[in-house]
Amino acid sequence: MIRYIRRAAGFCLLLLVALLANAARVQIFEADELNSNAANRRTTIDRYDRPRGNILVGGDPVTGSRDTGEQLAYERTYRHGPMYAPVTGYASQTYGTTLLENAEDGILSGTDPILAPLPLWGDVTRSRQPGGDVVTTIDASAQRAAYEGLDGRRGAVAALEPATGRILALVSSPSYDPEVLSGTGSSVTDAWVRLNGAPSQPLLNRALRETYPPGSTFKIVTAAAALDARVVTDPEAGTDTPSPYILPGTSTVLPDEARGCRKASLAEAIRVSCNTVMAHLGVEVGLEGMLETVGRFGFNDNDLKIPSRVARSNFDSEMTDDQLALSSIGQFDTAATPLQMAMVASAVANGGELMRPRLVDRVTTDDGDTVRQEGNESYHRAMNPTTAQQLQRMMVDVVENGTGTNGAVDGVTVGGKTGTAQHGVGNSGIPYAWFISWAQAPDSGRPAVAVAVVVEDASADRADVSGGGDAAPIARAVMEAALED
Amino acid sequence: MTATTADARPPELRLPKRRGVELSLLIGAVFISVYGYAAVGLARNDAVPPDVAGYGAGLGLLALLAHLAVRFRAPFADPLLLPIAVLLNGLGLVLIYRLDLETPRNQAATTQLIWSTLGVAFFIAVVVVLRDHRVLQRYAYLSVAVALVLLIVPIFFPAVNGAKIWIRIGGLSFQPGEFAKILLAVFFAAYLAANRNALAYTGRRVWKLQLPTGRVLGPIVAIWLFSVGVLVLERDLGTSLLFFGLFVILLYVATGRTGWIAVGLLLAAAGAFVVGSFEPHVHSRVEDWLNPYATIEAGQGPSQLAQSLFAFAAGGLFGTGLGLGHSILIGFAAKSDFILATAGEELGLAGLTAVFMLYALLVARGFRAGLALRDPFGRLLSIGLASILALQVFVIAGGVMGLIPLTGMPMPFLAQGGSSVVTNWIIVALLIRVSDVARTPDPDAVAAAREEP
């Protein structure tokens, strides 16, 4: 009997070995796979078990965290949520993160190894640091001026500091309060459904992610191309443009809404916004020259990040001359984000040097030690310095004597360009009102701000819609706010 | 498990009593439990739980009383059995207390402590009252009668979570199947001890199998089939598997016929296939086991088994630390069937291995007592009791870790469940009793063993 008892004991030993081997399988060999399973809530619970770092504007957080005492403990709160939503995005326990909340998630959630005092040790212990803070380049007063200027109308504002590329304002309207998406549960899913279903598309970041036909504001780009290509050598000299202008290879007549465009000079064409002159100049520069210039301004760039991705602004690379003519005045398939058009104004103001736009100034630990400082970086030299100087004069002329007088700021040099972009089937929609501009204080060696404003649903009736009337006052308010600092 | 000598007569050692060893091990077991209890509080609330002294004193008192009973009534008993039981029970209380923190509306630790006290009371009673395990042999048929009644009764009570294994009277509920385990082990041991020669050497020979006469084999097979049938009817697959394993192991040890194992395995495979294919409750368990992540793929969220596997994986090698895991995600059975997942998550593979080793030691000590005993009944009884523990640990641990299909059974001593704790304390008491007999230097018994073939 003893032999059989020993064998039975051996059988039990076998069971034990099987258990231990299986435990090692689950806890060691398959652990990584199980831990990263999307249905495993542990990652999520860990993620929310401490307050998230904050996004700062002008030294003050525009975000916060609230301990709900639930399984996913900390939920995001926002101060002035709708105003800063195009900057922060949302950090939702249900719908994930967007914009800065997304781009800097590693810092804000504390998982970025850069936050660890001893990075390698952090890897070993798998410990997490408290969430770090993200200091933005946003100027609170410029942001407020832009937000209040749009006043709930559909549209967007982007403002840059030309010499550095720092984004001073980024507003999309109508907006939403990201806080309504923070947590979990039916109130969040209801808000999500409501926001996504709203015809005004409040979740759309119009400043970064929506492209509009830029209309006449695009003429600055065409002018830069013409001057750089020496198609025009003297902006004050008359051109040989007929008015009306018949699009090359077609019998389509391109009219002017402005007067006095026949054989007008480039400067005159910018001041009163002549379609014919600029369309003709675009054709004279040619598709290749136009593509090179628009590329240096940032068009057709799929990878622009600030650090959130910016939608690609478009200028077609294959076109017939008549299409090129229309594209050169910001029509046909030409489309630009408000940020892109702010970059155009910025390049002119900064002597032709276009700085890479950026939204983050620096990143700190939760107790304020800087762990990453963003530097100024050139994006492209968009045009020759002489060309930039000539365009600056022309844009100042627009504000002082042309279509952009509503953008003038007392005692300050302001350059601008209006635009009224038609769209819709047969141009039936209410045109988009554009204004791009820059401002330089007289005692300052460099421009303070470059702005682009687009207003989609300008409230006046169609005949009165104009960049000068609807968009320029908003740009002026933003410039004044930026100049005060 | 500890191979020492060849198949020969039991060793003639004058074993020391080792009661001092038992006492120091008990102090260690209580200390570890109190430490774990304090660790949970520190991890969760940054403070030692206010009742840690009460918990320590309570567990210590239970351990001391049990120790005194052993010291005076079973002085030669194996000194490891009681400390292991106290440590496992203490650890179980810590885990249940820890899970209570997550479920404010369902507090179980206090109830479990009361049941543990009752369990220790039964332990003391068995050690004090039962002077010699051979007495039990006389009550073999009474045992089996009571066992069958206990097994049948839950049929008349409503099912809980798919299984009809509970009896509810007033606010109390208990699982009679748990007590039936011991009674059936007693009966199997007694019957096989009495008839083992007839089983091994009589009857016709078919191929390599020596078939015993129906008169000898019939009654026990009938009783066994009946119990398993009832359990299948009650959808208590775990316990039916346990009875099956117990029967096959004891039959093999009693007769030494390997053929019985083959027959047993064939029967088990056939039975499992039939039940697994046609019984919906069991069938879904098998499906879960084959693909624990099916519900995730179907968009219904993780199943309990998947959650359990997540918990074990989260523990990794060293665990998250007591109180710092998220095993509450497992859901309603986290304190009972799935309590091992909390151990796995918070103590890691290291802690889990330690827990398995404690069970292995308990089982090994049972087998050791069986080896050292002289009477066939005692041998079979201790092997049976040790096998119950081993099989139960394997079935439930294998189930919650995806090794075998899941069957709802309590982890001995760890899991929430009154009948289970009381039953396991009685099992340990019986092992204490047989080990005391096995280790008592008794010249007459040694002489008697020499005459045994």
Side-chain angles (χ1 to χ4, degrees):
Chain A
M1 203 182 211
I2 282 175
R3 188 193 307 160
Y4 310 127
I5 294 177
R6 291 235 163 82
R7 287 196 190 146
F11 171 71
C12 291
L13 183 67
L14 211 65
L15 295 184
L16 174 70
V17 170
L19 280 185
L20 289 176
N22 188 54
R25 170 183 74 92
V26 176
Q27 301 202 271
I28 307 292
F29 298 109
E30 289 179 6
D32 285 346
E33 197 186 329
L34 289 165
N35 286 334
S36 58
N37 189 309
N40 193 343
R41 295 261 295 168
R42 283 173 179 73
T43 327
T44 320
I45 292 172
D46 286 344
R47 178 187 166 88
Y48 295 111
D49 75 348
R50 69 191 65 192
R52 193 169 163 83
N54 282 319
I55 296 173
L56 273 61
V57 170
D60 297 319
V62 296
T63 58
S65 287
R66 176 180 60 221
D67 186 354
T68 59
E70 289 164 20
Q71 194 178 53
L72 306 181
Y74 282 92
E75 285 182 8
R76 197 54 146 170
T77 60
Y78 293 88
R79 294 176 55 215
H80 309 301
M83 185 160 91
Y84 287 107
V87 175
T88 59
Y90 53 78
S92 165
Q93 293 176 349
T94 313
Y95 298 105
T97 54
T98 56
L99 299 172
L100 271 190
E101 295 274 29
N102 176 263
E104 300 291 355
D105 186 58
I107 298 291
L108 295 166
S109 64
T111 53
D112 194 319
I114 198 176
L115 293 170
L118 298 165
L120 279 177
W121 179 243
D123 278 355
V124 172
T125 58
R126 288 200 280 176
S127 67
R128 273 177 55 208
Q129 302 299 316
D133 290 341
V134 173
V135 181
T136 67
T137 59
I138 293 290
D139 176 328
S141 53
Q143 181 82 4
R144 178 166 294 281
Y147 182 73
E148 290 175 354
L150 279 168
D151 194 25
R153 285 178 291 172
R154 287 192 208 183
V157 176
L160 294 165
E161 186 174 67
T164 60
R166 292 153 47 90
I167 296 175
L168 302 177
L170 204 62
V171 170
S172 174
S173 176
S175 191
Y176 67 101
D177 188 348
E179 195 164 313
V180 300
L181 299 176
S182 290
T184 54
S186 62
S187 71
V188 171
T189 46
D190 289 350
W192 176 257
V193 169
R194 177 170 51 78
L195 289 172
N196 273 293
S200 59
Q201 292 179 274
L203 289 175
L204 173 65
N205 187 336
R206 294 174 162 84
L208 297 180
R209 300 278 169 85
E210 177 72 318
T211 60
Y212 298 90
S216 300
T217 57
F218 189 78
K219 288 169 183 168
I220 299 298
V221 178
T222 307
L227 287 165
D228 269 3
R230 305 196 69 75
V231 169
V232 172
T233 45
D234 179 2
E236 303 296 337
T239 56
D240 56 354
T241 320
S243 177
Y245 174 64
I246 308 207
L247 295 178
T250 70
S251 54
T252 309
V253 173
L254 180 68
D256 273 314
E257 288 188 17
R259 291 166 185 275
C261 286
R262 187 163 175 276
K263 294 187 188 295
S265 68
L266 174 60
E268 180 69 8
I270 294 292
R271 183 171 68 241
V272 300
S273 202
C274 294
N275 289 338
T276 50
V277 175
M278 301 312 297
H280 181 54
L281 284 177
V283 174
E284 282 192 28
V285 171
L287 182 60
E288 204 175 317
M290 284 301 291
L291 277 172
E292 201 194 312
T293 300
V294 299
R296 287 191 304 233
F297 277 101
F299 282 84
N300 297 343
D301 182 346
N302 284 316
D303 300 320
L304 186 60
K305 292 190 178 72
I306 63 158
S308 310
R309 194 182 59 78
V310 180
R312 175 181 187 270
S313 295
N314 182 66
F315 190 85
D316 280 357
S317 55
E318 283 178 29
M319 282 188 284
T320 56
D321 274 356
D322 60 316
Q323 293 167 339
L324 178 60
L326 286 174
S327 293
S328 301
I329 56 169
Q331 295 181 20
F332 192 58
D333 283 346
T334 307
T337 59
L339 179 70
Q340 171 63 68
M341 293 318 291
M343 288 160 69
V344 169
S346 168
V348 171
N350 197 41
E353 182 80 13
L354 175 55
M355 303 305 286
R356 183 175 285 280
R358 61 184 172 86
L359 195 47
V360 176
D361 190 58
R362 62 202 158 85
V363 162
T364 73
T365 61
D366 71 316
D367 37 352
D369 298 333
T370 299
V371 289
R372 195 180 85 216
Q373 174 79 49
E374 299 279 333
N376 303 331
E377 191 189 338
S378 175
Y379 176 61
H380 286 307
R381 168 154 282 286
M383 68 197 97
N384 293 323
T386 6
T387 303
Q389 277 175 12
Q390 290 168 324
L391 279 173
Q392 283 170 15
R393 273 199 297 278
M394 287 184 252
M395 288 179 78
V396 169
D397 204 23
V398 168
V399 172
E400 289 178 351
N401 307 306
T403 54
T405 49
N406 279 337
V409 180
D410 282 347
V412 174
T413 312
V414 175
K417 181 72 194 82
T418 56
T420 309
Q422 291 170 337
H423 71 106
V425 179
N427 294 337
S428 58
I430 297 172
Y432 298 135
W434 275 98
F435 192 71
I436 64 171
S437 64
W438 48 267
Q440 182 167 356
D443 53 347
S444 168
R446 54 186 208 179
V449 58
V451 192
V453 176
V454 62
V455 182
E456 284 183 43
D457 49 356
S459 53
D461 64 89
R462 181 181 168 142
D464 291 341
V465 170
S466 70
D470 291 297
I474 300 172
R476 184 182 60 212
V478 173
M479 288 187 289
E480 282 173 341
L483 283 160
E484 272 170 22
D485 299 313
Chain B
M1 219 174 284
T2 46
T4 47
T5 55
D7 192 358
R9 74 177 77 95
E12 279 180 58
L13 289 174
R14 289 201 68 86
L15 289 165
K17 292 179 178 174
R18 301 266 188 228
R19 294 278 65 83
V21 172
E22 182 180 80
L23 187 60
S24 17
L25 287 175
L26 276 173
I27 291 168
V30 172
F31 177 78
I32 292 172
S33 305
V34 170
Y35 176 80
Y37 194 75
V40 170
L42 283 169
R44 299 290 303 230
N45 304 322
D46 290 323
V48 173
D51 54 349
V52 70
Y55 168 76
L59 195 65
L61 188 65
L62 288 181
L64 186 67
L65 290 174
H67 170 72
L68 290 176
V70 172
R71 182 177 280 267
F72 291 114
R73 301 311 285 264
F76 285 95
D78 193 318
L80 283 183
L81 294 169
L82 183 58
I84 292 174
V86 167
L87 180 52
L88 286 171
N89 201 157
L91 188 59
L93 284 167
V94 168
L95 292 175
I96 292 168
Y97 163 74
R98 177 257 170 281
L99 289 165
D100 276 351
L101 295 176
E102 311 269 357
T103 55
R105 283 190 215 162
N106 178 10
Q107 297 292 305
T110 315
T111 323
Q112 183 76 355
L113 190 59
I114 294 169
W115 280 109
S116 305
T117 310
L118 197 63
V120 172
F122 270 97
F123 171 91
I124 293 170
V126 169
V127 170
V128 170
V129 172
L130 186 68
R131 301 309 306 272
D132 191 321
H133 63 270
R134 278 165 289 203
V135 175
L136 292 174
Q137 216 166 349
R138 290 182 216 152
Y139 299 110
Y141 289 95
L142 181 63
S143 292
V144 75
V146 175
L148 292 182
V149 169
L150 285 176
L151 283 173
I152 291 168
V153 167
I155 293 180
F156 305 107
F157 286 82
V160 179
N161 298 325
K164 301 184 83 163
I165 51 178
W166 274 272
I167 293 180
R168 279 180 190 278
I169 298 165
L172 287 174
S173 69
F174 74 110
Q175 275 177 273
E178 286 287 332
F179 301 109
K181 286 193 300 205
I182 302 178
L183 298 172
L184 270 186
V186 168
F187 168 71
F188 284 161
Y191 189 88
L192 290 171
N195 297 295
R196 65 193 195 99
N197 286 335
L199 281 164
Y201 303 114
T202 61
R204 287 181 299 143
R205 190 181 175 83
V206 176
W207 192 46
K208 287 189 177 172
L209 198 61
Q210 184 85 35
L211 279 186
T213 56
R215 206 163 52 84
V216 182
L217 192 61
I220 192 168
V221 167
I223 282 167
W224 166 64
L225 274 179
F226 183 75
S227 338
V228 172
V230 167
L231 289 168
V232 169
L233 212 69
E234 293 169 359
R235 299 179 197 155
D236 188 2
L237 203 72
T239 311
S240 53
L241 198 64
L242 187 67
F243 284 4
F244 190 91
L246 175 67
F247 180 65
V248 171
I249 287 177
L250 287 185
L251 196 57
Y252 170 72
V253 171
T255 63
R257 296 281 163 193
T258 322
W260 287 121
I261 292 180
V263 171
L265 286 177
L266 279 175
L267 273 177
F273 179 79
V274 171
V275 175
S277 308
F278 298 110
E279 215 290 314
H281 179 72
V282 178
H283 183 69
S284 71
R285 291 273 174 90
V286 175
E287 292 284 307
D288 276 353
W289 169 62
L290 289 174
N291 188 0
Y293 312 111
T295 55
I296 296 173
E297 285 149 22
Q300 297 161 341
S303 63
Q304 258 191 327
L305 178 58
Q307 287 286 18
S308 174
L309 291 172
F310 289 161
F312 281 109
L317 195 53
F318 296 114
T320 59
L322 275 172
L324 299 174
H326 302 296
S327 45
I328 194 64
L329 293 171
I330 292 162
F332 72 91
K335 294 176 197 173
S336 48
D337 295 6
F338 283 93
I339 197 150
L340 197 67
T342 300
E345 176 165 13
E346 305 198 341
L347 303 175
L349 181 61
L352 202 59
T353 307
V355 170
F356 285 151
M357 285 305 177
L358 288 177
Y359 285 117
L361 264 178
L362 206 54
V363 173
R365 289 288 157 160
F367 273 93
R368 195 187 166 110
L371 281 171
L373 276 170
R374 292 89 172 165
D375 67 304
F377 169 71
R379 279 181 171 173
L380 287 171
L381 182 63
S382 47
I383 302 311
L385 295 173
S387 302
I388 286 176
L389 285 172
L391 288 171
Q392 191 160 351
V393 168
F394 176 77
V395 167
I396 184 65
V400 296
M401 299 188 81
L403 184 61
I404 57 171
L406 189 65
T407 53
M409 273 218 291
M411 200 73 192
F413 290 113
L414 282 192
Q416 175 198 359
S419 353
S420 169
V421 166
V422 170
T423 306
N424 287 308
W425 272 112
I426 295 174
I427 289 178
V428 172
L430 290 172
L431 287 177
I432 288 271
R433 174 50 61 216
V434 289
S435 75
D436 178 49
V437 171
R439 293 160 63 101
T440 306
D442 183 350
D444 295 343
V446 172
R450 279 205 184 104
E451 288 157 22
E452 197 181 84

